[in-house]
Amino acid sequence: MKRMTLAAVSALCLAAALTACGSSDKDTDSKSEPTKATASPSKTLSPAEQVAQLMVTQAESGGYSVKKPADGDALAKSQAEMSVDKAACAPLAYAMNELPVGTPEATLTHFANKSTGMLTYITLSTYADGKAAAAMKSLSTAAGSCGSGFTAKSDSGSTTYDSVTVETAPSGGDESGATAATFKFQGFTQTIRTQTFRFGNTIANYFTLDSSAFMNAHAGTAKIPADLVTVQNAKLG
C-alpha cells in the first residue's frame, strides 16, 4: 500500500492530542448552540447549505472533536481522480475514501474522534429525487460482489483491499448498509468499517479506521462509534 494520505494524517491528528488538523476554529466552535435541522431543510437553502446545516457540530457531538479534513487527507479529492481495477467496486472505494456515492448535488465531509484511537469520517450528501436510492443500490451491489477485494488508485498512491465483508445493516433511516474491509499496512492487517444510511434524499456515510494501529504499527480493527451515529442520524430524520 503506497499511500498513507488518509491514515497518516489521521494518526498525526491523534498524536497531536486530537487538536486542529487542517481546520479553522470557526468550523467547529464548541461553544456554539447546536444546530437544529432535518433531512429536508428549507427549500430556500442551496444543496451545499443543506448539508452544512445537517452536519453534526462539535457542540452536539457529546465530547468528540469534529473538524474538516486537511487538504490531502484522502486518496483522491473527487471520484474523477480515483480509478478502481474492478469497476463494480467503485462505490465501495468512494465510501472508504471520504467521497460521496453516486451523483449528489452537494456533499460535505467532517471527521470526528475522541481519545479511543477510532477516527470516523462523516460524509453527508444530498441528491435529486431518486438519486439517493440509486446510490444506495450501487453501494449494496458493490458490497455483495467485491468480497475478494479490489485496488483503488489515484495520483497520490493506491490501496489494495484484500477482502470486503457485508455486515448486519444497522437500524435507522429509510435504508442502511454496513461493510468491513481489510488491507495490510507495514505487514499488519487493518480492518476498516463503513455504515451508510439514507434519509429521503440525504445519505450519511460513516467510515472508521483505527488510527492508533497505524501510528503504533500493529493490527487494527475499527469500530464505528454508535453514540456519534445516533447524534448525527438524529439530525437527519
Side-chain angles (χ1 to χ4, degrees):
M1 182 173 130
K2 178 182 175 183
R3 67 106 178 179
M4 263 304 292
T5 51
L6 184 151
V9 172
S10 301
L12 288 173
C13 288
L14 288 171
L18 310 181
T19 54
C21 180
S23 174
S24 62
D25 291 340
K26 68 179 180 179
D27 295 326
T28 53
D29 184 358
S30 61
K31 296 182 181 179
S32 63
E33 290 296 323
T35 302
K36 294 182 179 180
T38 67
S40 299
S42 170
K43 292 182 180 180
T44 60
L45 297 178
S46 69
E49 291 170 330
Q50 290 177 27
V51 292
Q53 188 178 83
L54 290 168
M55 179 65 72
V56 67
T57 68
Q58 184 160 309
E60 298 165 334
S61 68
Y64 284 84
S65 172
V66 180
K67 300 181 183 297
K68 291 182 179 180
D71 290 341
D73 186 15
L75 181 60
K77 293 182 179 179
S78 67
Q79 293 179 359
E81 293 182 5
M82 179 181 290
S83 63
V84 183
D85 63 340
K86 299 177 183 178
C89 302
L92 272 176
Y94 302 151
M96 295 189 293
N97 283 279
E98 308 166 43
L99 294 173
V101 179
T103 55
E105 294 185 323
T107 188
L108 177 66
T109 296
H110 280 185
F111 71 84
N113 54 34
K114 285 185 177 179
S115 58
T116 61
M118 299 299 155
L119 183 61
T120 300
Y121 289 85
I122 306 169
T123 298
L124 299 185
S125 304
T126 185
Y127 300 75
D129 288 346
K131 296 293 186 179
M136 290 293 290
K137 183 177 181 180
S138 71
L139 184 58
S140 176
T141 299
S145 61
C146 298
S148 61
F150 60 93
T151 298
K153 296 181 179 180
S154 75
D155 289 342
S156 298
S158 67
T159 300
T160 296
Y161 302 93
D162 300 315
S163 67
V164 176
T165 302
V166 177
E167 300 196 309
T168 301
S171 60
D174 298 305
E175 57 182 320
S176 62
T179 66
T182 64
F183 61 87
K184 287 187 173 59
F185 176 68
Q186 294 183 349
F188 295 97
T189 297
Q190 305 297 332
T191 300
I192 58 178
R193 284 187 159 83
T194 66
Q195 288 184 3
T196 311
F197 301 81
R198 180 178 68 83
F199 292 82
N201 291 330
T202 300
I203 287 179
N205 183 73
Y206 302 87
F207 161 55
T208 300
L209 56 86
D210 183 353
S211 283
S212 64
F214 290 93
M215 184 170 61
N216 297 309
H218 60 75
T221 299
K223 296 180 181 180
I224 295 177
D227 57 343
L228 180 64
V229 172
T230 296
V231 172
Q232 175 62 82
N233 281 0
K235 297 191 70 171
L236 303 176

